[in-house]
């Protein structure tokens, strides 16, 4: 028996592969600093954990509604109104087992063979593979450092065809940390208003991790005319330090939410009942810690950007949000390591850093734009300083 054609169209997540490799090396006693994982190093806040524990004590261990409890849907509705000025009803809300599940449900429920999905690059590694699994065609549009790693209106206009089903907008971005201003979203929205067959998947997972007074907005908020064909996706994983709890959610058109629930009913069924109860507390409880976490991340960002820009051959833009930087190293391409290995690809560069500097990053090729790498600064300043010093030393040795 052979794997299905759908499975053959996708590949394992490169970011998870790096994380597994780091864990393997650390278990073997290697002093490796892992900067590949996309999760906060903060623990889940105590009041959220206590809500999960209380849910267990209260016997909330049974099946729930397929796409979320009424309590969590109500909490999500409150969140969207409070944070984004968006109004939804329960039949417009879906609760899923993480943001990746939200993306999977939306694409598989709507994309047919021949449909196109516009994916700005650099992109989160799962976007194209989920589109491919669904039978669609990802259409990549390069948005490099010269344009702040953000899609331009003229690029969007040129990429749209009669076959376009979705465009994916991720702000702040994984892997670059780039975030769209309200004016930039409005300019993209003006293009999309002229193409009513195109739907928008707005991935806002990092909305609360923003810096320097940046004001987060989402496209359905900025462009109310696009509300009916926008799926505004978010979750508890990043801002609330709940990656392992696996709760994602989204607001959108009732027919789309119903279609996603139909798919979920025959795949995972409901998300974990305990995680849902904890997520109610997360979304409705004290939100003040979000700014405290963002302030710590900003300090780490400033450290990493400064130190990487002092490394030979590396240029590191300053992101507006998330907890990643996406340094490019065109200045090192074609040069050789001390062992005589020519740095001609991202993979060679990150392998060199892992082998010689014992620092793990993720190759930019995994995110669709080279020569670059993604570095997560969701770890202590002490480790980040040590990692950046190691990178500086390794880059200085390249000739």
């Amino acid at each position: 028996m052979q794997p299905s054609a759908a499975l053959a169209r996708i590949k394992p997540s490169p970011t998870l592969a790096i994380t597994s490799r780091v864990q393997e090396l650390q278990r073997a006693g290697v002093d490796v600093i892992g900067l590949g994982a996309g999760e906060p190093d903060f623990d889940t806040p105590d009041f959220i954990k206590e809500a999960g524990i209380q849910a267990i004590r209260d016997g909330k261990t049974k099946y729930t509604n397929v796409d979320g409890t009424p309590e969590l849907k109500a909490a999500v509705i409150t969140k969207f109104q409070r944070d984004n000025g968006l109004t939804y009803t329960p039949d417009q809300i879906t609760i899923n087992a993480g943001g990746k599940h939200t993306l999977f449900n939306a694409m598989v429920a709507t994309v047919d063979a021949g449909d196109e999905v516009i994916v700005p690059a650099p992109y989160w590694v799962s976007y194209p593979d989920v589109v491919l699994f669904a039978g669609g065609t990802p259409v990549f549009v390069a948005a490099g450092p010269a344009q702040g790693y953000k899609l331009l209106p003229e690029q969007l206009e040129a990429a749209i065809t009669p076959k376009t089903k979705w465009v994916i907008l991720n702000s702040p971005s994984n892997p670059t940390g780039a975030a769209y201003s309200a004016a930039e979203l409005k300019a993209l929205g003006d293009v999309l208003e002229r193409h009513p067959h195109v739907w928008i998947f707005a991935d806002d997972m990092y909305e609360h991790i923003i810096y320097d007074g940046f004001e987060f907005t989402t496209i359905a908020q900025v462009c109310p005319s696009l509300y009916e064909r926008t799926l505004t996706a978010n979750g508890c994983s990043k801002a609330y330090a709940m990656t392992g709890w696996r709760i994602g959610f989204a607001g959108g058109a009732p027919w789309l939410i119903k279609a996603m629930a139909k798919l979920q009913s025959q795949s995972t069924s409901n998300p974990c009942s305990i995680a849902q109860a904890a997520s109610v507390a997360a979304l409705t409880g004290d939100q003040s810690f979000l700014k405290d976490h963002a302030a710590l991340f900003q300090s780490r960002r400033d450290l990493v950007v400064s130190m990487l820009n002092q490394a030979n051959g590396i240029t590191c833009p300053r992101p507006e949000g998330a907890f990643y930087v996406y340094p490019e190293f065109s200045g090192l391409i074609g040069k050789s390591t001390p062992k005589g290995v020519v740095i001609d690809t991202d993979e060679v560069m990150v392998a060199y850093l892992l082998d010689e500097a014992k620092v793990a990053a993720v190759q930019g090729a995994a995110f669709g734009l080279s020569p670059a790498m993604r570095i997560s600064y969701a770890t202590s300043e002490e480790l980040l300083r040590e990692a950046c010093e190691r990178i500086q030393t390794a880059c200085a040795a390249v000739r």
Side-chain angles (χ1 to χ4, degrees):
M1 181 181 292
Q2 297 294 320
S4 70
L7 188 65
R9 290 194 291 267
I10 67 174
K11 56 186 180 296
S13 168
T15 54
L16 295 181
I18 291 291
T19 300
S20 296
R21 176 61 177 152
V22 168
Q23 292 171 344
E24 177 184 317
L25 289 170
Q26 290 174 338
R27 285 193 297 269
V30 179
D31 178 25
V32 61
I33 301 175
L35 302 181
E39 64 178 347
D41 58 321
F42 308 124
D43 196 11
T44 303
D46 285 342
F47 77 93
I48 299 173
K49 291 192 286 187
E50 289 301 323
I53 294 168
Q54 190 60 49
I56 295 172
R57 290 180 176 140
D58 291 343
K60 294 182 179 179
T61 56
K62 308 295 185 184
Y63 292 129
T64 74
N65 292 352
V66 164
D67 64 345
T69 63
E71 293 81 9
L72 183 49
K73 287 195 174 190
V76 170
I77 289 169
T78 297
K79 172 263 174 295
F80 277 132
Q81 183 63 57
R82 177 189 67 220
D83 297 341
N84 311 115
L86 295 174
T87 301
Y88 293 105
T89 54
D91 64 340
Q92 293 179 281
I93 300 297
T94 179
I95 311 296
N96 319 111
K100 190 176 295 188
H101 193 202
T102 306
L103 171 71
F104 185 90
N105 283 353
M107 295 299 119
V108 174
T110 62
V111 171
D112 291 313
D115 287 342
E116 295 175 350
V117 177
I118 296 172
V119 182
Y123 46 73
W124 179 39
V125 294
S126 292
Y127 293 147
D129 281 69
V130 171
V131 172
L132 288 166
F133 182 87
T137 302
V139 175
F140 302 116
V141 181
Q147 60 197 67
Y149 292 124
K150 288 180 275 191
L151 180 68
L152 300 176
E154 56 267 30
Q155 291 180 299
L156 176 59
E157 184 78 65
I160 293 173
T161 75
K163 295 180 179 179
T164 305
K165 179 68 67 77
W166 290 90
V167 59
I168 297 176
L169 296 176
N170 179 205
S171 174
S173 159
N174 176 2
T176 67
Y180 291 91
S181 68
E184 289 167 335
L185 287 175
K186 179 64 168 61
L188 295 174
D190 288 344
V191 173
L192 291 164
E193 285 176 352
R194 297 193 291 271
H195 300 278
H197 67 292
V198 180
W199 282 65
I200 305 98
F201 187 95
D203 184 345
D204 299 345
M205 187 64 73
Y206 296 87
E207 87 170 282
H208 292 299
I209 307 173
I210 50 178
Y211 313 126
D212 304 318
F214 182 87
E215 293 188 13
F216 175 86
T217 51
T218 190
I219 194 164
Q221 176 184 13
V222 174
C223 303
S225 62
L226 300 178
Y227 170 88
E228 295 293 340
R229 51 189 171 105
T230 298
L231 185 67
T232 302
N234 211 312
C236 294
S237 295
K238 309 299 183 176
Y240 296 93
M242 296 176 67
T243 51
W245 297 77
R246 309 310 303 136
I247 294 294
F249 54 79
W255 74 264
L256 176 57
I257 299 302
K258 185 176 181 180
M260 293 169 66
K262 180 180 179 180
L263 175 62
Q264 190 159 309
S265 74
Q266 294 290 12
S267 55
T268 63
S269 192
N270 65 274
C272 172
S273 59
I274 307 307
Q276 290 191 70
S279 297
V280 172
L283 296 175
T284 60
D286 181 11
Q287 306 290 296
S288 61
F289 72 92
L290 295 173
K291 290 186 177 180
D292 295 337
H293 285 187
L296 285 171
F297 278 132
Q298 180 173 325
S299 176
R300 295 171 180 182
R301 176 207 62 174
D302 292 344
L303 171 67
V304 169
V305 169
S306 174
M307 293 190 72
L308 288 179
N309 277 321
Q310 296 174 51
N312 172 48
I314 289 181
T315 301
C316 184
R318 184 181 301 274
E320 294 91 352
F323 40 71
Y324 311 104
V325 289
Y326 199 73
E328 67 94 19
F329 48 85
S330 55
L332 299 177
I333 293 297
K335 297 185 177 181
S336 299
T337 72
K339 293 182 178 178
V341 178
V342 176
I343 299 174
D344 55 2
T345 66
D346 297 350
E347 288 84 355
V348 171
M349 180 63 181
V350 298
Y352 170 58
L353 292 179
L354 184 58
D355 293 342
E356 299 299 324
K358 299 300 183 286
V359 175
V362 185
Q363 64 272 20
F367 307 99
L369 196 70
S370 301
M373 56 185 166
R374 189 191 79 173
I375 287 176
S376 167
Y377 49 88
T379 191
S380 71
E381 287 197 13
E382 179 183 5
L383 281 176
L384 290 171
R385 189 177 300 277
E386 172 66 21
C388 289
E389 287 176 353
R390 293 183 186 185
I391 291 172
Q392 288 175 350
T393 300
C395 289
V398 172
R399 294 289 185 267

